Structures are given as structure tokens and as C-alpha cells.
């Protein structure tokens, strides 16, 4: 009896020893793999986390971490395949995508051509009610010849179509089981990070997806904290309460640069600001008047006030990082005498009075005052009317403006930067040719640019188009809007991308 | 008493109608177009129009208001245009955070201002009185958001005693509650001081002194109790005003309450959410006023509601 009891005691001791050892091992391993947590301070709160439903920048920034798209574009706006392994255009209305094999959704189900078809078919279905339906109306049909091939058949040629395929792919099986509304609250994609929770007004929590097809992210936990006030965001960054911020106040730049624990990266989002000129207007409809106004803009100063030192002045209505950017266009150096001469030639030697509508936000109020001051040197008396975005757009749609100062966000493809704004078939209400510009030569170039798929051939076309625009000046460029980002120095290999702000956190690593 | 409460509750109905109707009309007078704000950047006027129709924003304003009212009566507060989620659960989710903030800031103000006001009145023109008057003047004059940023700078940035933003522990509440309470603290201290001064010269206080009561009894049983009636009114009014103040304070401290939701809804022109937040604020304000009226009768037995 005694020996049995003793042996039982021995067994207990053994179990205990193993348990202690186990706990120790866990502790040691746990310490070795300390959880890497990164907090991003964001200005706006994300809404519905269904990529088909929301195109707001704030929401997209979260979506691009959870969902994987067919393609994205790089900093020069060249298309980079992601879920697609490769793609080709056998003719000018067909795009064929070959998908990677073994791309998994967060629930372990493989992403196939059916999911791609489902994502875009629902989005272009008017009954689904996606606010993003616009660019997908030109899809005639989507075929899936096999599990890893998707074919988009278009109604008409559109070389810019590829830049509309950055939408995250949603899992068909999941949406069909739970419904679209459920997906919006409980997103599930094939992207680098798995959704954990969304706390309204506070934060979105994500964790690394172990089976992410491009390799598991180094960041274990990613938190997007919603801090609306910029001063507070900056303070949290300095205190270490946040690791990433993408809109540092230029005034804080040098101070943050002197903090060793931070890396400051200026970056250039594809936004540019300009004076849109109503070419049907009695006075500014005259191209000589528009050129005179262009001569009166101190572009170098405007670039510094609008953005900060080092940002190049704007000459064409296209971001300078674009592959289609053309620097060799007519330029209007700051020259009051030249401006006066042009105005006299047009019959306005004494100048004139005009309303300048200014879209509120950013440094535009200050910019408008500088322009007003500058215009007055040649006798142009510009009255500034600040308006909210919605009012500004109403006036643009109705053509009730002479000149309007505003900015345009990310425009990836040169087609999207030009066609909807300047082609004569885009005059409101059908499109965004708010300035009512009509030029058959330009129409021809823009239509051709949409038809041709070859990038080099398109570059030549858009070079010519930009020259026409710089000559006729329906938009007078004012400045590029650039922003500064900063992040904790322990994060490495994180390149800010103007179009996909946080997506590159998937590839970020940590300093040893 | 119950009849009085019931009567007051019935009175709230026309007031709520009035408030919501006025605001609803104002929303439509103010220029702006929610459909344009929700539409993606590349949208044409025709697409925006389609969106407007799909959101029901093309209908006459009165029809939209009527739909909203009948919805609320059925318990359906509408769908947020931006978040595409029902309004009521969103408000309820955020309500505790705001109530917590408002109640803590009011409690903090009461705890500070009543003793300070009494001390200031009793030791009139002393160092305590003079410095209190200067500090409260400062507190009244400073705008909320500025106080908030200064507190963050000093206590979060330089001293690192409290977190700058967020919600979770009691430490998170300290700075926003102080910010929200500053002007209230200042106002209540001044009112407490002046009513105490007034009351200490009243006949019944002189009588109490003449009876030979101890000074403490005179101050606390006779003077303070009477002075509190005025302060109760201020607390009631301030509780309501704090709800408004929360809109700014929650923005500065990234505090996830109703105030910030209301602010965002205004920026985004999210009409159902804006109306929901307004209705909730109006309801809370009226309930607070009712409670304050009932509290009077506890402090002053002469006041009864038959």
C-alpha cells in the first residue's frame, strides 16, 4: 500500500514538474516573441467595412489592410498585380486576370475566380445600391473559365479600367451565408490583417494573418485609433501612444525630425489645387485673361504656403509622380507687366471685378488671399466667397461660377485626371467638365488615350493633351498639396504611399 | 407629486416637436448636399442625383420630417446615411461614455466650488477670496478647447501623469472632466460666493446668531442650506450645458461619446444621425430640468408639487 502511495506521489511530482517546465517554456518563448503592436493615429473614422460599399478615404485605408485586391498601383501609378499573378489585354475590350493559387481568406477558404466575379458583379448591380457603381457600368460581363482565371468583357475600350480594380475581393461563401450587412460589421478578407473588432468612435483592431499569401506581417497587432484633433494626434505620436501619423503639420516637421524615436517622411499625395475657370464666362472665357491670371500667380510661394518647402510648383493638372506627367509645357512665369499687356490686349486695361469661389479647408483661405493680393497688381479685383464642399459642387454642376479654387484628390490614371474634366461629352449633368471646355483636338487625344492600352503610346498622347491644357488654361494650376508623415523609428521598411496610406504596413519590419 | 411629474412629461411632447421641427427645417435651409458628400469623388451630377433619390432626400422636407417623426414614434430612429447602420443603437452605445464624463465633471465642480465659494464668502476680501475671484474669472473666460489642449500639454505631454486621449480607466477621465468642468466650477464658485454673502446678511441668520447658535451651525444649517437652492438651479442648467460642451471636449480628447458622434454627423451632414443626437440631447436636457425641480423640494420643504 505504502509503495503504491509513494509511486502515486511520484507521478504527481512528475506531472507538476512538467507543468512548471511548460509554464517556463511558454514564458521564455513569450518573451522571445514579444507581441509587436503598432498604433496608427487616424483623423477620420472608418464606416462600413465592405469594400463594395464605401469609397471614403478613411474607410479605404482600413479596407486595404483586411481585404486583398486584384491589383494596386505603385508611387508612379503603374499597376502592380496582388491577388492576380498576371494580367493581359487580348483586345481593347477584354482584360484577362490569372490569379495566384493558394490565396486564403481569413477563414481558410481559398480565394478563387468566383469570388472576384461575385465582388464586381454585386458592385455593378444597381439593386445592390453601391455608391461606387459608376466605373463598373462599362463592364458587359465577367467570365470565369476556371478557378484561377477571370475575364472582364467591357462595352467599350477603356485603358484606365485597370485602376478601378483595386477593390478588395469579398468572400462569396461568407457573404451568401451571412449577408452583406454582416460583412460590413464583421469584415473577412484575404489581406494581411484579420479583423478583430471595431469600437465605434475609438478604434479598429486588427491582427496579423498567419497565412497571408505574401508572407505573415511582422506587426502582430495593428490598431487604428481615431483621434480627430491634429494637435492631439501629434502629442500622442510624441508620447508613444501612437506609432504612425500621416498628416503632420508642416510647422511641426523640424521639431519632430529632432526626436530620435521618430522617423519623418515627407510624401506627396496625388492632390493638386487649381483655379477652375468657367470658359463660358464673359470675362474669363477669354484665354488672354486666363493667361494673364496665370502670370500673376507666384507659384513658388504658393507651393510653400499650400504645402511646404521642397514641393515643386504646379504647371499642369496632373500629379508630378505620374508616369504620364509632362514637364515640357507652356509656363507662365510670374510677370505683372506681361499680365497687364495681355489684359490690355483683351480690353481690360483697367482690370475688372470678379468673384472667386473658394472651397473651404486646408490652407486654401490663405492661398485665396495671396491670389487676391496678386491679382490686384494688374487691376483684377477678386472677391473671395468661401463655400462648403457641397455648395461648391452645386455651383460647379450648375455652372454658376467664374473662377473656383479647389483641390482634387488621388487621380491614378491620366485618363481619370483628364477625360471626365475636359472632354466635351462630360459637360454636367453627365460628367465633371464643370468648366464647360470644348476642344475637338483634345477630345480626340483623350478618346484615343482611353482606347490605347500601350503605356508608351499613351504617354505621347497625354503629353500632347497636357500641352493643350497648359495653353488654353481651363484649369490654372496653383499648387500641389503635399503632406508629411511620421512614424516610430522602431518601424522599418514602411514606405508611405499616397494612394494606399497604410497598406505598406503589411510589409513593415522592426528594427532589431 | 406623481400627477405633477406626469404633467411635466406630457408638456415635453410639444416641446420636442417644436425643437426637432425647427432643427429639421434649419438643416434644409443651410446650404449643402449630403448626397454629394457621400458620392465618391468621381461621381457626376446624374449619379449624385440617383444617390439622392435612393436616400429619399429628393422628397419634400415636410414629408421627410413626417416620416422621421412617425419612425421615432415606432421606435425606429432611422438609418445613418454614412454608417448605414440604425441610429438608435449607435447613440445608446455611446451614451454611457458621455454620461460618465458629464457626471464626473459636474461632481468635480460641485466638490470644488461649494467649499471654495463658502470659504470665499466667509473670508471676504482675504487672500483666498481674491485669488478665487481671479482664478474663476480666468476659468469663465477661457474657451473649452483651449483649456483642453493646455491640460494635455501640461499633464499629458510634460508631466505624463495622465493619458492624452481615449477612454478606459479613471485616469482617462481626469483631463476631459476637468476641461468640461472648468467654466462650471468657476461659475458655481462665484454664485456660491455671492449667494452666501447675501444669505449671511439675511434676518434669519442674524436671528440664529442672536439665539447664540454656534457659528458652524449657523453657516451649515441656516445659511448654506438656503444658498444651495440657487446653486441647484445652476447645476441643473449646467448639466444641460455640459452636454453641449461635451461636443467640443470629446473632439479634443478623442473621447468616444455622443458629443463626438453629433459633431461628426454635422460635418458629414448625416441627417438621421444628427436628428437622433439632437432628440436625445433634448430629452436628456428636459429630464435633467425635471429632476432639478424635484430636487428643490428635497432641499426646501416649502416647495411642494401638489
Amino acid at each position: 500500500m505504502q509503495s503504491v502511495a509513494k509511486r502515486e506521489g511520484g507521478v504527481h511530482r512528475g506531472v507538476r514538474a512538467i507543468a512548471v517546465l511548460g509554464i517556463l517554456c511558454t514564458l521564455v518563448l513569450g518573451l522571445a516573441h514579444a507581441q509587436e503592436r503598432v498604433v496608427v493615429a487616424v483623423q477620420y473614422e472608418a464606416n462600413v467595412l465592405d469594400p463594395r460599399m464605401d469609397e471614403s478615404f478613411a474607410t479605404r485605408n482600413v479596407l486595404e489592410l483586411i481585404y486583398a485586391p486584384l491589383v494596386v498601383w505603385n508611387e508612379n501609378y503603374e499597376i502592380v498585380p496582388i491577388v492576380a499573378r498576371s494580367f493581359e489585354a487580348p483586345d481593347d475590350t477584354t482584360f484577362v486576370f490569372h490569379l495566384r493559387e493558394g490565396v486564403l481568406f481569413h477563414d481558410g477558404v481559398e480565394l478563387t475566380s468566383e469570388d472576384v466575379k461575385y465582388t464586381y458583379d454585386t458592385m455593378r448591380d444597381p439593386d445592390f445600391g453601391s455608391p461606387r457603381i459608376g466605373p463598373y457600368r462599362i463592364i458587359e460581363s465577367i467570365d470565369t473559365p476556371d478557378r484561377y482565371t477571370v475575364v472582364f468583357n467591357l462595352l467599350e475600350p477603356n485603358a484606365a479600367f485597370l485602376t478601378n480594380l483595386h477593390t478588395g475581393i469579398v468572400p462569396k461563401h461568407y457573404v451568401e451565408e451571412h449577408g452583406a450587412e454582416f460583412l460590413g460589421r464583421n469584415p473577412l478578407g484575404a489581406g494581411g490583417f484579420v479583423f478583430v473588432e471595431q469600437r465605434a468612435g475609438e478604434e479598429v483592431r486588427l491582427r496579423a494573418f498567419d497565412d497571408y499569401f505574401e508572407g505573415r506581417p511582422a506587426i502582430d497587432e495593428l490598431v487604428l485609433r481615431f483621434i480627430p484633433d491634429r494637435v492631439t494626434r501629434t502629442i500622442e505620436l510624441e508620447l508613444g501612444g501612437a506609432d504612425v501619423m500621416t498628416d503632420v503639420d508642416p510647422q511641426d516637421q523640424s521639431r519632430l525630425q529632432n526626436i530620435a524615436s521618430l522617423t519623418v517622411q515627407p510624401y506627396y499625395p496625388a492632390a493638386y489645387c487649381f483655379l477652375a475657370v468657367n470658359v463660358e464666362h464673359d470675362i474669363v472665357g477669354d484665354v488672354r485673361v486666363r493667361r494673364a491670371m496665370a502670370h500673376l500667380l507666384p507659384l513658388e510661394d504658393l507651393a510653400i504656403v499650400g504645402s511646404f518647402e521642397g514641393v515643386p510648383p504646379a504647371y499642369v493638372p496632373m500629379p508630378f509622380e505620374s508616369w504620364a506627367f509632362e514637364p515640357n509645357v507652356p509656363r507662365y512665369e510670374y510677370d505683372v507687366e506681361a499680365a497687364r499687356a495681355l489684359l490690355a490686349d483683351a480690353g481690360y486695361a483697367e482690370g475688372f471685378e470678379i468673384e472667386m469661389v473658394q472651397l473651404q479647408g486646408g490652407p486654401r483661405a490663405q492661398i485665396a488671399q495671396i491670389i487676391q493680393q496678386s491679382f490686384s497688381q494688374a487691376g483684377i479685383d477678386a472677391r473671395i466667397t468661401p463655400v462648403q464642399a457641397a455648395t461648391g459642387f452645386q455651383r460647379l454642376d450648375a455652372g454658376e461660377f467664374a473662377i473656383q479654387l479647389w483641390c482634387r484628390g488621388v487621380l491614378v490614371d491620366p485618363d481619370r485626371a483628364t477625360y471626365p474634366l475636359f472632354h466635351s461629352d462630360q459637360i454636367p449633368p453627365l460628367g465633371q467638365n464643370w468648366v464647360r471646355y470644348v476642344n475637338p483636338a483634345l477630345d480626340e487625344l483623350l478618346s484615343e488615350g482611353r482606347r490605347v492600352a500601350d503605356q508608351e503610346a499613351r504617354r505621347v498622347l497625354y503629353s500632347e493633351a497636357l500641352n493643350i491644357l497648359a495653353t488654353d488654361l481651363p484649369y490654372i494650376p496653383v499648387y500641389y498639396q503635399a503632406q508629411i508623415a511620421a512614424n516610430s523609428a522602431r518601424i522599418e521598411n514602411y514606405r508611405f504611399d499616397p494612394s494606399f496610406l497604410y497598406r505598406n504596413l503589411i510589409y513593415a519590419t522592426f528594427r532589431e | 407629486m406623481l400627477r405633477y411629474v406626469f404633467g411635466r412629461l406630457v408638456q415635453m411632447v410639444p416641446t420636442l416637436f417644436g425643437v426637432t421641427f425647427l432643427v429639421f427645417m434649419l438643416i434644409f435651409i443651410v446650404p449643402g448636399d449630403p448626397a454629394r458628400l457621400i458620392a465618391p469623388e468621381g461621381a457626376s451630377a446624374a449619379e449624385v442625383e440617383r444617390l439622392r433619390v435612393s436616400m429619399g432626400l429628393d422628397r419634400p422636407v415636410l414629408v421627410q420630417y413626417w416620416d422621421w417623426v412617425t419612425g421615432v414614434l415606432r421606435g425606429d430612429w432611422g438609418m445613418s446615411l454614412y454608417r448605414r447602420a440604425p441610429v438608435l443603437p449607435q447613440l445608446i452605445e455611446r451614451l454611457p461614455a458621455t454620461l460618465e464624463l458629464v457626471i464626473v465633471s459636474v461632481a468635480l465642480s460641485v466638490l470644488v466650488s461649494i467649499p471654495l465659494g463658502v470659504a470665499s464668502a466667509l473670508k471676504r476680501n482675504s487672500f483666498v477670496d481674491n485669488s478665487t475671484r481671479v482664478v474663476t474669472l480666468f476659468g469663465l473666460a477661457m474657451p473649452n478647447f483651449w483649456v483642453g489642449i493646455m491640460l494635455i500639454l501640461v499633464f499629458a505631454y510634460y508631466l505624463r501623469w495622465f493619458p492624452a486621449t481615449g477612454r478606459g480607466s479613471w485616469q482617462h477621465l481626469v483631463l476631459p472632466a476637468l476641461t468640461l468642468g472648468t467654466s462650471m466650477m468657476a461659475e458655481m464658485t462665484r454664485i456660491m460666493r455671492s449667494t452666501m454673502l447675501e444669505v449671511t446678511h439675511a434676518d434669519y441668520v442674524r436671528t440664529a446668531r442672536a439665539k447664540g447658535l454656534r457659528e458652524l451651525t449657523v453657516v451649515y444649517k441656516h445659511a448654506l442650506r438656503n444658498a444651495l437652492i440657487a446653486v441647484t438651479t445652476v447645476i441643473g442648467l449646467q448639466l444641460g450645458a455640459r452636454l453641449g460642451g461635451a461636443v467640443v471636449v470629446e473632439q479634443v480628447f478623442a473621447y468616444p461619446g455622443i458629443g463626438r458622434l453629433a459633431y461628426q454627423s454635422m460635418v458629414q451632414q448625416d441627417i438621421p444621425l444628427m436628428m437622433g443626437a439632437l432628440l436625445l440631447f433634448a430629452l436628456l436636457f428636459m429630464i435633467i430640468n425635471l429632476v432639478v425641480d424635484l430636487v428643490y423640494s428635497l432641499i426646501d420643504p416649502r416647495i411642494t408639487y401638489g
Side-chain angles (χ1 to χ4, degrees), chain A residues 210-449:
Chain A
D210 292 331
D211 298 320
Y212 181 58
F213 62 95
E214 291 184 295
R216 184 192 190 277
I219 297 171
D220 297 296
E221 191 187 9
L222 184 60
V223 181
L224 295 115
R225 269 197 70 198
F226 171 45
I227 307 176
D229 186 71
R230 178 149 79 171
V231 175
T232 322
R233 273 200 299 286
T234 314
I235 287 176
E236 281 289 16
L237 183 76
E238 290 182 57
L239 288 174
D243 302 293
V244 177
M245 170 175 175
T246 54
D247 60 337
V248 172
D249 188 332
Q251 291 180 345
D252 290 333
Q253 185 181 14
S254 58
R255 192 165 53 83
L256 296 188
Q257 265 164 348
N258 289 327
I259 299 176
S261 62
L262 294 177
T263 307
V264 179
Q265 308 186 34
Y267 75 104
Y268 306 96
Y272 63 94
C273 304
F274 47 84
L275 290 171
V277 186
N278 186 345
V279 298
E280 290 179 350
H281 188 271
D282 289 344
I283 303 170
V284 293
D286 188 326
V287 69
R288 290 168 294 188
V289 175
R290 297 202 290 274
R291 286 179 193 151
M293 292 194 292
H295 272 303
L296 291 169
L297 296 183
L299 291 180
E300 277 83 7
D301 298 345
L302 289 168
I304 292 170
V305 175
S307 289
F308 43 88
E309 209 120 12
V311 177
Y315 296 106
V316 290
M318 186 171 292
F320 56 82
E321 317 91 317
S322 168
W323 56 263
F325 176 71
E326 174 55 71
N328 298 313
V329 294
R331 293 187 178 187
Y332 304 88
E333 300 307 329
Y334 179 71
D335 186 342
V336 179
E337 286 317 310
R340 279 182 198 279
L342 278 163
L343 286 178
D345 194 31
Y348 299 103
E350 300 301 313
F352 54 86
E353 199 181 302
I354 199 139
E355 183 195 29
M356 175 162 60
V357 179
Q358 173 234 324
L359 233 65
Q360 283 173 352
R364 283 194 290 269
Q366 222 181 326
I367 293 283
Q369 282 161 16
I370 296 174
I371 294 174
Q372 183 183 44
Q373 183 67 31
S374 195
F375 276 3
S376 71
Q377 291 175 294
I380 303 176
D381 179 11
R383 285 170 292 109
I384 302 170
T385 308
V387 296
Q388 296 283 352
T391 314
F393 279 116
Q394 272 167 4
R395 295 189 62 169
L396 286 170
D397 280 338
E400 288 165 0
F401 69 102
I403 47 181
Q404 181 157 337
L405 173 68
W406 59 298
C407 303
R408 235 178 115 76
V410 183
L411 294 168
V412 186
D413 191 274
D415 173 71
R416 284 164 78 180
T418 52
Y419 194 101
L421 299 177
F422 304 113
H423 196 285
S424 61
D425 70 12
Q426 297 291 311
I427 290 173
L430 293 169
Q432 302 174 305
N433 189 347
W434 292 296
V435 291
R436 276 81 180 163
Y437 181 67
V438 181
N439 182 334
L442 185 77
D443 283 357
E444 186 55 40
L445 287 167
L446 297 183
S447 301
E448 190 64 15

Side-chain angles (χ1 to χ4, degrees), chain A residues 45 47-48 53 131 134 137 185 200-202 225-226 228 232 235-236 238-239 390-391 393-394 397 409 429-430 432, chain B residues 32-33 36 40-47 50 82-85 94 152 156-157 160 165-166 251-252 256 260 264:
Chain A
E45 191 174 11
N47 293 323
V48 186
M53 287 311 282
R137 287 216 177 86
R185 305 274 147 223
E202 282 183 78
R225 269 197 70 198
F226 171 45
T232 322
I235 287 176
E236 281 289 16
E238 290 182 57
L239 288 174
T391 314
F393 279 116
Q394 272 167 4
D397 280 338
L430 293 169
Q432 302 174 305
Chain B
D33 179 1
R36 175 51 95 175
E41 189 173 286
S44 66
E47 274 169 288
R50 252 193 298 276
Y82 248 83
R83 293 145 202 268
R84 293 167 211 276
R94 305 276 194 105
I152 288 179
Y157 187 74
R160 309 207 171 193
T165 62
Q251 190 73 3
V252 173
R260 211 162 92 212
Q264 281 169 267

Side-chain angles (χ1 to χ4, degrees), chain A residues 82-127:
Chain A
I82 300 290
V83 166
R85 182 166 39 91
S86 62
F87 56 87
E88 72 237 1
D91 59 68
D92 59 10
T93 55
T94 313
F95 286 101
V96 181
F97 288 87
H98 304 284
L99 306 187
R100 295 199 204 200
E101 296 179 23
V103 174
L104 299 182
F105 283 113
H106 298 154
D107 60 357
V109 177
E110 191 182 22
L111 186 158
T112 67
S113 52
E114 278 303 315
D115 298 300
V116 178
K117 177 177 162 60
Y118 178 75
T119 301
Y120 286 101
D121 270 346
T122 44
M123 216 162 22
R124 68 196 187 91
D125 174 7
D127 293 335

